[in-house]
Amino acid sequence: MRGSGNYRDTGTGSSEVRLLCDLEQTEPSWTVRHVGGAMRGAGADQISVLVRTMVESKVSKNVLRMFYVLGYRLDHELLRVGFSFQFNRGAQITVTVSSVNKMLKLHATDEAVPVTPGIQMVEVTAPASAENYTEVAAAVQSFCEYLAPLLHLSKPGVSTGVVPTAAAAAASLMSDGGGTPL
């Protein structure tokens, strides 16, 4: 269970600062995550994955007060409930499956309202550097192709649709002859 507040760069919309709070701990722990803008250019158009820089820093519980002093305002929190797992397939890949809920009061998990009822968000991520970028992008793309019969994956901001039910996903797999071996 994780609450977060997003503070976007309203000038370009290309980067954002996320304030994350891990609510599973007895004393909530805070992290500030800066997610940079998407890679642009001909190279970005050639690949089916989105490449963004990301920097995370653990911060103290006073971080909310600091954001308020800087002029930010917290309208609501998003609560992500789900699970994640990691595996190695040419790169350390993390798959996170979660539902997103909106909380109007700080940490009011009991009052959370689903943002998209009945729909799960699936994120496939992997850390990369300049040295291993090509291998990581290929590994993520390969894994996403394996998931294609089950999910409609897309780059953030580019929706390709939703598999409405597990039955539709199973029918898609059956019509494909069972999918691609992992």
Side-chain angles (χ1 to χ4, degrees):
M1 196 175 344
R2 174 175 270 188
S4 71
N6 281 356
Y7 301 93
R8 294 184 185 271
D9 173 1
T10 55
T12 62
S14 62
S15 68
E16 58 191 62
V17 175
R18 298 177 183 172
L19 183 56
L20 307 170
C21 181
D22 187 348
L23 300 176
E24 288 185 336
Q25 309 299 323
T26 54
E27 181 72 26
S29 65
W30 293 87
T31 303
V32 173
R33 178 185 295 166
H34 176 263
V35 181
M39 182 176 84
R40 296 180 185 178
D45 294 337
Q46 300 296 322
I47 58 175
S48 63
V49 296
L50 181 69
V51 178
R52 299 176 80 176
T53 58
M54 184 177 71
V55 178
E56 283 188 346
S57 297
K58 291 287 187 187
V59 292
S60 74
K61 63 183 177 183
N62 296 327
V63 70
L64 271 179
R65 190 174 328 150
M66 183 192 81
F67 268 72
Y68 290 139
V69 169
L70 290 173
Y72 290 101
R73 184 183 78 168
L74 182 64
D75 292 330
H76 63 275
E77 282 185 292
L78 295 178
L79 175 68
R80 291 178 56 177
V81 179
F83 62 92
S84 68
F85 58 91
Q86 294 182 336
F87 62 93
N88 198 322
R89 182 176 173 171
Q92 184 69 31
I93 295 175
T94 301
V95 177
T96 305
V97 179
S98 58
S99 60
V100 180
N101 301 285
K102 185 176 185 178
M103 298 182 297
L104 297 176
K105 296 178 190 169
L106 188 64
H107 302 335
T109 57
D110 295 337
E111 300 174 24
V113 178
V115 174
T116 53
I119 296 176
Q120 305 283 279
M121 180 172 61
V122 178
E123 294 176 286
V124 178
T125 59
S129 64
E131 294 79 32
N132 70 350
Y133 162 78
T134 305
E135 294 81 20
V136 171
V140 170
Q141 183 173 349
S142 171
F143 181 68
C144 289
E145 288 170 357
Y146 177 76
L147 291 177
L150 296 171
L151 306 167
H152 290 284
L153 295 174
S154 63
K155 291 182 181 180
V158 181
S159 178
T160 60
V162 176
V163 175
T165 64
S172 175
L173 268 178
M174 297 300 279
S175 67
D176 188 9
T180 309
L182 184 57

